[in-house]
Amino acid sequence: MSRLRMAMLAPGVPRVDRQQFQQYGYVLKESYLPESQFLALVRAVREYEGEIRECCQGDTNTHRILLAPEVLEQLPQVKAVLGDSALKRLFRYCAGHARLPICHIENVHNGSRKNDTVRDPQKNLHVDTFQPTMKFWLYLEDVTDENGPFVFVPGSNRPHRERMKWEYQMSLRAREHADRYTARGSFRVSQEEAERLGEGGPRPFRVAANTLLIANTFGVHARGNAEPGSSRLALWGMSRTNPFLPLPGLGFEYFNRLQYRVLQRMRRQEDARSAAKGKQSSWHVIEQKRV
């Protein structure tokens, strides 16, 4: 179904991008924006003050600013990048859906929870779910071993025999698995399994600022290990839709805007439920205003 929808969305997407995404599971574009535009984008993102939500996993804090339509109106530099027609075609193709991804400004703070000895679960090799899904990063600063490069196993996105066999075997025992993420359907992957499921094992994406990376997170991936106190700033977004739709849906602006309102409402409801229990929601608002 995903391949069918992607075929419908292929017109206007360069063949080299389509081939790379199908064969390896990612599209990589270095020096993506003209230098002057990129510098203006970084400056606008760093100076913007808005609502930041935080998620704490292990020793990592992830901060995100939702790029809802009303926020984009205050950030014309970001709006210009995300509104580019060529990028939107690429997003839709890689997602296999006409609706655009939900986008954020994201800053990952590594090792910021010094009293937490639990490992960040996103730094363990895993797959997000059983279906093709899309995430993207437009890195606003250099990505090195110090601040934790994205790690991906090229070719693990393809449903070859070895991958399907592994998927089936995991499904039989996942519910009883000790790892709660595996039990919920986001299967964790050992190093040995990663070597079998793709080509050449895990690859860290150490890239310069102004690199665009789009990945199919049905493939094996992880957030790379990083030095405590480091951070990684990017524009980030994801698309995850009903996997059984034969058609790519509707990409009208109304639906793109609606998904932000739905997410904002869900977040407020989660805040209220957690507050009633005397807790913080998994993505809670913090006092900090800048990423």
Side-chain angles (χ1 to χ4, degrees):
M1 287 297 180
S2 177
R3 290 290 181 90
L4 175 63
R5 295 193 304 270
M6 294 172 78
M8 296 179 186
L9 295 165
V13 178
R15 176 177 292 184
V16 64
D17 293 341
R18 288 185 275 124
Q19 290 176 336
Q20 186 179 40
F21 195 74
Q22 293 293 348
Q23 182 173 357
Y24 299 114
Y26 63 85
V27 174
L28 185 69
K29 291 181 174 292
E30 298 177 303
S31 301
Y32 178 68
L33 296 172
E35 185 177 4
S36 59
Q37 183 181 7
F38 177 71
L39 294 176
L41 171 67
V42 174
R43 183 166 57 251
V45 167
R46 291 193 182 279
E47 292 177 354
Y48 178 74
E49 294 187 357
E51 179 184 273
I52 296 178
R53 286 186 177 266
E54 176 184 73
C55 182
C56 306
Q57 293 181 295
D59 63 351
T60 301
N61 288 345
T62 302
H63 292 175
R64 287 181 186 159
I65 295 176
L66 181 66
L67 291 172
E70 61 272 17
V71 174
L72 282 182
E73 291 304 319
Q74 303 174 56
L75 288 167
Q77 298 87 349
V78 179
K79 185 177 181 180
V81 172
L82 297 179
D84 177 70
S85 58
L87 181 61
K88 290 195 289 187
R89 286 194 297 269
L90 185 57
F91 280 162
R92 286 170 170 145
Y93 174 80
C94 293
H97 201 280
R99 191 172 69 245
L100 293 170
I102 295 179
C103 301
H104 297 73
I105 298 169
E106 178 185 79
N107 204 356
V108 178
H109 296 269
N110 299 289
S112 55
R113 295 163 57 83
K114 300 191 188 320
N115 294 328
D116 198 325
T117 58
V118 178
R119 178 179 171 81
D120 177 358
Q122 301 304 325
K123 291 178 178 172
N124 297 326
L125 290 167
H126 63 281
V127 298
D128 280 357
T129 184
F130 69 91
Q131 79 227 48
T133 57
M134 183 271 274
K135 289 181 179 176
F136 83 87
W137 296 258
L138 176 55
Y139 294 112
L140 303 183
E141 55 191 11
D142 293 343
V143 180
T144 66
D145 288 331
E146 181 181 351
N147 59 0
F150 178 71
V151 176
F152 192 84
V153 179
S156 61
N157 58 296
R158 298 197 303 272
H160 50 73
R161 182 178 179 85
E162 186 67 24
R163 173 64 196 268
M164 292 295 94
K165 179 181 177 181
W166 175 83
E167 194 88 24
Y168 175 69
Q169 291 172 340
M170 287 294 293
S171 74
L172 296 179
R173 61 180 190 271
R175 185 179 178 184
E176 313 300 330
H177 203 282
D179 184 287
R180 66 189 181 99
Y181 291 92
T182 295
R184 292 176 180 177
S186 180
F187 299 159
R188 267 40 198 172
V189 184
S190 69
Q191 180 69 28
E192 179 183 352
E193 289 169 331
E195 298 286 345
R196 290 191 287 109
L197 297 180
E199 302 176 14
R203 171 191 170 183
F205 283 83
R206 307 177 187 94
V207 296
N210 195 18
T211 295
L212 174 68
L213 174 64
I214 305 176
N216 178 355
T217 51
F218 171 72
V220 178
H221 64 283
R223 179 184 293 161
N225 294 322
E227 294 294 325
S230 65
S231 63
R232 172 161 57 78
L233 181 64
L235 297 186
W236 175 91
M238 70 171 291
S239 177
R240 183 180 299 176
T241 58
N242 187 321
F244 304 111
L245 296 175
L247 298 175
L250 300 174
F252 298 138
E253 183 61 24
Y254 171 79
F255 294 107
N256 291 323
R257 298 173 73 92
L258 179 62
Q259 64 182 346
Y260 286 94
R261 292 203 293 272
V262 171
L263 179 58
Q264 288 168 320
R265 182 177 180 181
M266 289 173 57
R267 292 286 189 236
R268 290 193 294 269
Q269 290 174 338
E270 290 171 2
D271 290 341
R273 286 195 296 266
S274 298
K277 299 176 183 178
K279 300 179 180 179
Q280 289 181 320
S281 59
S282 58
W283 282 100
H284 52 273
V285 178
I286 60 175
E287 293 183 2
Q288 181 177 326
K289 292 296 183 181
R290 288 189 181 183
V291 292

